[in-house]
Amino acid sequence: MVVKIKKNIELASLDELSRTLGAYDENLTYLSRELGVLAYVDGLKIRLEGEEESVRLAEEVVCALQKSVDGERIDPVRVAYCIELAKEGRADEIASMDGGTVAITARGKQIKCKTVGQKQYVNAIKKNTVVFGVGPAGTGKTYLAVCMAVSAFKSKQVEKIILTRPAVEAGEKLGFLPGDLHEKVDPYLRPLYDALQELLGLETYGKLMERGAIEVAPLAYMRGRTLSNAFIILDEAQNTTREQMKMFLTRMGEGSKTVVTGDVTQIDLDGKESGLVHATSILEGVEGVGVCKLTAKDVVRHPLVMRIIHAYEKDAEKKEKARAKRTEGE
């Protein structure tokens, strides 16, 4: 027999109610649809009706969101994430999600961690000299790395920010592209540029680029160098070979910090082993090295992106099982 119950959640003020509900009550609508509960507002109360388990989860999500957000407006992305955690019995982790301000943009906006995974990633960067941030698109791994780089630069922990990635393809064949080095590499480092401009402001960013405090170069140009007193970010590292990754990691000099980011589901190496996959397998547990694996749950884009990633993961699992079954039958 299905047991249906009712629950009331009282909010302290109209301001808190408005932040919780979102624009045009979009958060309440999303919560109702995802958990199959009837949710509506009555004065300063949110009323929940439905099956006992669904109402319990909805109550956990709303209460946890109130604790985790200090004066910020809640959006459906955060609601979706909190629902995922609540379903896993991890609603208590939501309140500890906010690890403080990671960085402040040129316009004064505070950048904060939005998921437990992001908080662990930022803490790993603070604690370790080399950090691998591995996860799907939309988890904030590159953006947060840039935030930490700017923060370190502003506090004079480092003298330089260096951005690099394997450009165009693993072999880094840049010659056929028009223009000088920066013009060849620019399109591939656009996300990093955009983040830097947002955090520093266009004018400051331009001045730092001119004087070489921010350096952009393809991975091949790192060979033979020693990078000291710098915050170094290697992006799209899934497309490095084992040799390239070893070369890069051994460039680090005194006073430097390195963050390596990549998505192991998007390797374009034509059968070669990814340097990112190899490095994380042998370096995890080494003192001074942090390996942080973000998942679809850490996606902070549109909630649909999380569902798309889940669908691809399920398809990959299905194909792997079918492959294993065929192998057993041979």
Side-chain angles (χ1 to χ4, degrees):
M1 181 180 172
V2 177
V3 178
K4 295 203 171 186
I5 63 169
K6 297 180 181 181
K7 283 278 184 178
N8 295 329
I9 302 171
E10 188 139 9
L11 289 93
S13 64
L14 280 171
D15 187 48
E16 187 179 11
L17 181 67
S18 175
R19 287 199 308 271
T20 304
L21 297 177
Y24 305 106
D25 296 352
E26 62 180 349
N27 296 336
L28 209 59
T29 302
Y30 187 85
L31 187 77
S32 298
R33 185 175 67 245
E34 292 298 307
L35 293 177
V37 297
L38 176 62
Y40 58 96
V41 178
D42 181 7
L44 288 178
K45 293 178 182 175
I46 294 176
R47 297 193 184 275
L48 304 169
E49 297 180 18
E51 293 181 15
E52 186 174 11
E53 179 63 14
S54 297
V55 170
R56 183 188 64 78
L57 284 173
E59 183 183 24
E60 281 187 359
V61 168
V62 174
C63 292
L65 280 167
Q66 287 175 269
K67 292 176 186 174
S68 71
V69 181
D70 182 20
E72 291 181 66
R73 186 169 292 278
I74 299 166
D75 59 26
V77 174
R78 183 166 289 216
V79 177
Y81 177 67
C82 290
I83 289 172
E84 288 283 322
L85 285 190
K87 285 179 177 178
E88 294 177 5
R90 298 167 57 199
D92 58 320
E93 294 181 32
I94 298 168
S96 64
M97 208 157 57
D98 184 3
T101 301
V102 179
I104 299 174
T105 69
R107 294 186 176 184
K109 179 185 174 184
Q110 293 185 343
I111 306 300
K112 296 184 176 184
C113 297
K114 293 184 178 179
T115 72
V116 174
Q118 286 190 348
K119 182 182 175 183
Q120 291 170 344
Y121 177 48
V122 167
N123 286 342
I125 294 173
K126 290 177 181 177
K127 180 182 174 183
N128 296 284
T129 304
V130 176
V131 172
F132 293 89
V134 184
T139 51
K141 56 189 183 296
T142 299
Y143 185 76
L144 287 172
V146 175
C147 286
M148 295 299 286
V150 170
S151 178
F153 180 79
K154 284 182 174 179
S155 60
K156 302 191 185 304
Q157 295 174 46
V158 296
E159 299 171 359
K160 198 172 192 178
I161 297 172
I162 298 175
L163 312 174
T164 185
R165 61 161 284 173
V168 186
E169 60 180 15
E172 298 176 346
K173 296 175 183 176
L174 296 166
F176 71 92
L177 292 172
D180 61 20
L181 174 63
H182 282 287
E183 290 169 331
K184 290 173 189 286
V185 181
D186 271 4
Y188 304 97
L189 288 159
R190 193 75 258 166
L192 296 169
Y193 285 146
D194 291 343
L196 283 168
Q197 288 171 12
E198 181 185 358
L199 291 161
L200 295 166
L202 199 55
E203 188 177 342
T204 302
Y205 164 79
K207 287 178 180 177
L208 292 174
M209 285 288 286
E210 279 179 23
R211 74 170 204 236
I214 296 175
E215 181 185 341
V216 179
L219 183 57
Y221 285 67
M222 296 293 109
R223 193 174 299 278
R225 298 181 60 186
T226 300
L227 309 173
S228 301
N229 301 311
F231 196 114
I232 313 147
I233 300 173
L234 170 58
D235 195 31
E236 298 291 338
Q238 74 275 4
N239 286 328
T240 61
T241 63
R242 286 174 58 164
E243 294 75 22
Q244 287 170 333
M245 181 62 77
K246 182 182 176 183
M247 177 275 291
F248 171 76
L249 292 174
T250 53
R251 298 307 93 205
M252 188 169 54
E254 193 67 33
S256 288
K257 188 180 283 282
T258 297
V259 179
V260 179
T261 68
D263 179 357
V264 295
T265 67
Q266 297 188 34
I267 297 170
D268 303 310
L269 286 174
D270 295 327
K272 291 182 182 178
E273 184 182 8
S274 166
L276 177 61
V277 173
H278 178 252
T280 52
S281 70
I282 66 169
L283 296 177
E284 190 165 14
V286 172
E287 187 179 349
V289 176
V291 178
C292 191
K293 294 176 182 176
L294 300 163
T295 69
K297 293 185 184 67
D298 296 299
V299 170
V300 290
R301 293 180 182 171
H302 193 284
L304 179 59
V305 176
M306 189 187 294
R307 294 198 287 272
I308 289 170
I309 292 170
H310 275 312
Y312 273 96
E313 286 175 348
K314 284 180 181 177
D315 181 62
E317 286 174 15
K318 187 178 175 182
K319 287 178 179 174
E320 186 58 38
K321 285 178 182 176
R323 192 180 298 114
K325 200 171 181 181
R326 283 197 303 271
T327 305
E328 285 175 12
E330 289 176 357

